[in-house]
Amino acid sequence: MITNESCGLRPLDRPDCLWRLTHAVVGRVAWAGCGGRAVLVPVNFVIDGPGIVFLTAAGGHLFEAVRSRSRLTFEADGTGPASDEGWSVLLSGRPEIITDRGKVRSLEQHPLAAWARVPHRRFVRMAAEEITGHVMPLRRAGTEGPAG
C-alpha cells in the first residue's frame, strides 16, 4: 500500500501553510458548479490574516459562487528554496464580498490584479476555515526517486 510517508509527503501545520502562501502569487479557486461539475479558475491573491483576498468580476461565474456563499477551495503550490522540494496548500471556506470602503481602499494599494480587465471588479475574502498542506521531494530529471 502506498502511504504519504512512502511517497515522501510531509504534512504542514497551519502557520507553515500560511507562510508558504506568502511566497505564491497565483492560486486556483475551485467549487462545485451546475450539475456538480468542478469549476476551477486561476486567481492572483494576497494573504489577509488567516485567509486570502482575491479579485473577481461582478456577474461572472466565480462572483455568483461567492454571492451564493458556496464553499470554495483555494489551492496554491510552489517549490522550496533549493527547488528540491515542492509544496501544496489547500484552503477551504465560505467567501464574502468586501464592502467596507476603508478595507477596499487599503486592498487597492496591493499589487493585486485581476486576470482579465473587467469594469466591475470585487474584492473577495475567504477565511481559512480549513487549511492543509504538504511538502514533497522533487525528482530531478534523469534521477530515480519519488515522483509527483
Side-chain angles (χ1 to χ4, degrees):
M1 173 156 101
I2 297 176
T3 64
N4 285 348
E5 293 77 26
S6 68
C7 291
L9 294 179
R10 180 174 47 90
L12 297 171
D13 62 17
R14 185 181 182 95
D16 199 16
C17 286
L18 290 169
W19 180 81
R20 286 176 190 266
L21 288 178
T22 65
H23 297 284
V25 177
V26 177
R28 288 151 294 282
V29 174
W31 70 97
C34 294
R37 294 187 75 177
V39 180
L40 186 76
V41 296
V43 295
N44 295 321
F45 70 99
V46 294
I47 298 294
D48 184 52
I52 62 161
V53 170
F54 59 89
L55 281 169
T56 189
H61 295 296
L62 178 53
F63 181 77
E64 292 306 317
V66 168
R67 207 171 64 152
S68 71
R69 303 272 300 151
S70 296
R71 186 173 179 81
L72 303 180
T73 299
F74 170 84
E75 189 271 343
D77 47 45
T79 58
S83 295
D84 60 349
E85 69 178 21
W87 59 266
S88 179
V89 171
L90 284 175
L91 182 148
S92 296
R94 302 237 180 245
E96 63 179 322
I97 299 165
I98 298 172
T99 57
D100 178 84
R101 292 201 185 276
K103 182 69 174 175
V104 169
R105 277 194 298 277
S106 173
L107 288 167
E108 287 173 337
Q109 303 308 307
H110 286 280
L112 186 62
W115 276 70
R117 292 194 180 269
V118 291
H120 303 289
R121 61 188 192 160
R122 299 291 186 262
F123 286 100
V124 175
R125 182 170 195 287
M126 196 169 119
E129 293 172 14
E130 287 183 57
I131 187 166
T132 60
H134 61 270
V135 174
M136 70 210 91
L138 295 178
R139 181 177 66 182
R140 296 195 196 291
T143 63
E144 293 296 319

